[in-house]
Amino acid sequence: MAATSLEEFYQQTALLIPDGINKEIGHFNVFKLDELLARKKDKMVMPYNRRAYYKISMISGRNQAEYADKVIDIEKNCLLFATPKIPYNWLPQDDNQSGNFCIFTPDFLVQNKSGVQLEQLPIFQPGGYPVFQLSDEEAEDITFIFKKMHKELSSAYVYKYDLLRNYVLELIHYGQKLQPATALYPSHTASARVSSLFIELLERQFPIESPHQKIGLRTAKDYAERLAVHVNHLNKVLKEHTGKTTTDIISSRVLQEAKILLKQTDWNISEIAYCLGFEELAHFSNFFRKQTTLTPVAFRS
């Protein structure tokens, strides 16, 4: 099942793609549902597929959420957390729909910016159904957070994206408080420990703070040896817990750091390539272009 990209999302919703969508360290945007519906002539249906981005929605109206093995009926207000891991189908049951939603990429909540590991948060763990029916009072609380997002996004404040990260985290914590307590304290199985230790090892490599600093673990084999497990076992565990291979997770984190270094330092490209474990500049350039469709120089400019 192919994941819907950000570009496809903007095409499907008849919205203009923001300039430089591939040049930002992370992408964030917030929308009013009624304004979006006014742009579309056909009925607003979210098809059954995966998205390549995260989405948090507060929707008022009668709706139905379909997952692989469960259908959830919403009578009035709901808070929905959508993750790239879990496909779902959203079906409005009437024409009286309103609310707000925001979309963001994992890079937007990168740990050294937000203080959290997005994929480790209970609200985004596979196996659950993160759709919560809300009272009018709860809906009002969440609507107020979205109002702050809209206001901040249109402001000229230099640090507005730091504030927006805080608002996204406020929504996440609101949702996690609505979850059953058992969902917040999952059993720590052996495979969960391996997955958790891998993420911890990965994050210890970053941030890169000097052009003389070089990450010590670069490949799936490097991490498997450090964790004293077979590389195939590590790959199987991570695939079960995250939906991604070991190499995919490492590449994603290296790409995040590459974007940060290209945007926030004046180091030359060779120095950045060295720091990120690439022996040849050409290897780094090929890796970056494959991940973003841009060269490191084009991304930095």
Side-chain angles (χ1 to χ4, degrees), residues 40-296:
K40 290 180 67 67
K41 295 179 181 178
D42 53 338
K43 194 172 183 180
M44 187 67 175
V45 175
M46 302 177 194
Y48 185 86
N49 62 10
R50 294 174 60 232
R51 282 93 180 152
Y53 49 86
Y54 288 81
K55 182 177 182 181
I56 304 176
S57 310
M58 205 298 289
I59 302 175
S60 293
R62 289 182 58 249
N63 291 280
Q64 191 175 82
E66 294 182 352
Y67 291 86
D69 58 348
K70 187 169 184 177
V71 175
I72 301 172
D73 291 309
I74 295 101
E75 290 304 319
K76 191 173 184 182
N77 305 309
C78 82
L79 180 62
L80 167 69
F81 292 85
T83 157
K85 299 177 188 174
I86 306 172
Y88 70 96
N89 187 19
W90 184 265
L91 297 168
Q93 302 299 298
D94 62 33
D95 294 327
N96 188 24
Q97 302 283 320
S98 62
N100 297 270
F101 68 92
C102 64
I103 61 172
F104 57 94
T105 58
D107 289 0
F108 181 70
L109 284 188
V110 64
Q111 188 177 22
N112 65 348
K113 289 282 188 181
S114 67
V116 300
Q117 293 180 25
L118 189 58
E119 292 190 344
Q120 298 297 309
L121 292 170
I123 200 77
F124 292 123
Q125 292 307 301
Y129 305 99
V131 181
F132 305 100
Q133 304 226 35
L134 305 171
S135 67
D136 288 341
E137 183 180 356
E138 289 169 333
E140 192 174 311
D141 290 343
I142 293 166
T143 299
F144 180 66
I145 298 172
F146 276 108
K147 283 181 178 178
K148 292 192 293 184
M149 285 182 170
H150 286 290
K151 183 177 180 180
E152 200 56 52
L153 190 61
S154 61
S155 79
Y157 182 47
V158 174
Y159 300 104
K160 67 180 180 182
Y161 284 101
D162 291 327
L163 258 181
L164 287 165
R165 285 185 188 91
N166 288 335
Y167 296 152
V168 170
L169 289 172
E170 191 174 353
L171 288 175
I172 288 170
H173 288 298
Y174 200 110
Q176 289 186 161
K177 287 165 69 176
L178 296 172
Q179 282 188 314
T182 51
L184 299 178
Y185 303 98
S187 57
H188 214 54
T189 63
S191 63
R193 284 196 300 274
V194 170
S195 179
S196 178
L197 287 170
F198 166 79
I199 296 297
E200 183 180 338
L201 273 179
L202 178 63
E203 288 301 328
R204 278 185 197 169
Q205 310 293 305
F206 308 100
I208 303 291
E209 297 176 325
S210 159
H212 305 295
Q213 178 184 346
K214 183 178 182 181
I215 61 175
L217 303 173
R218 184 66 184 86
T219 67
K221 186 172 181 290
D222 292 338
Y223 284 91
E225 289 177 351
R226 183 65 64 88
L227 293 168
V229 298
H230 193 281
V231 68
N232 291 344
H233 177 67
L234 177 61
N235 201 51
K236 179 176 179 290
V237 164
L238 292 174
K239 191 75 173 175
E240 289 174 352
H241 282 265
T242 70
K244 299 178 181 178
T245 66
T246 313
T247 299
D248 285 343
I249 297 171
I250 296 169
S251 295
S252 177
R253 187 62 184 89
V254 168
L255 179 65
Q256 286 177 350
E257 196 68 15
K259 289 179 176 180
I260 290 169
L261 295 176
L262 286 166
K263 286 291 187 181
Q264 299 183 2
T265 75
D266 58 359
W267 307 348
N268 64 49
I269 309 295
S270 295
E271 288 174 324
I272 293 173
Y274 168 81
C275 291
L276 296 175
F278 294 89
E279 298 301 328
E280 301 288 341
L281 175 58
H283 294 164
F284 173 60
S285 295
N286 290 337
F287 163 81
F288 196 90
R289 188 185 300 111
K290 183 179 179 181
Q291 299 290 326
T292 67
T293 72
L294 298 169
T295 65

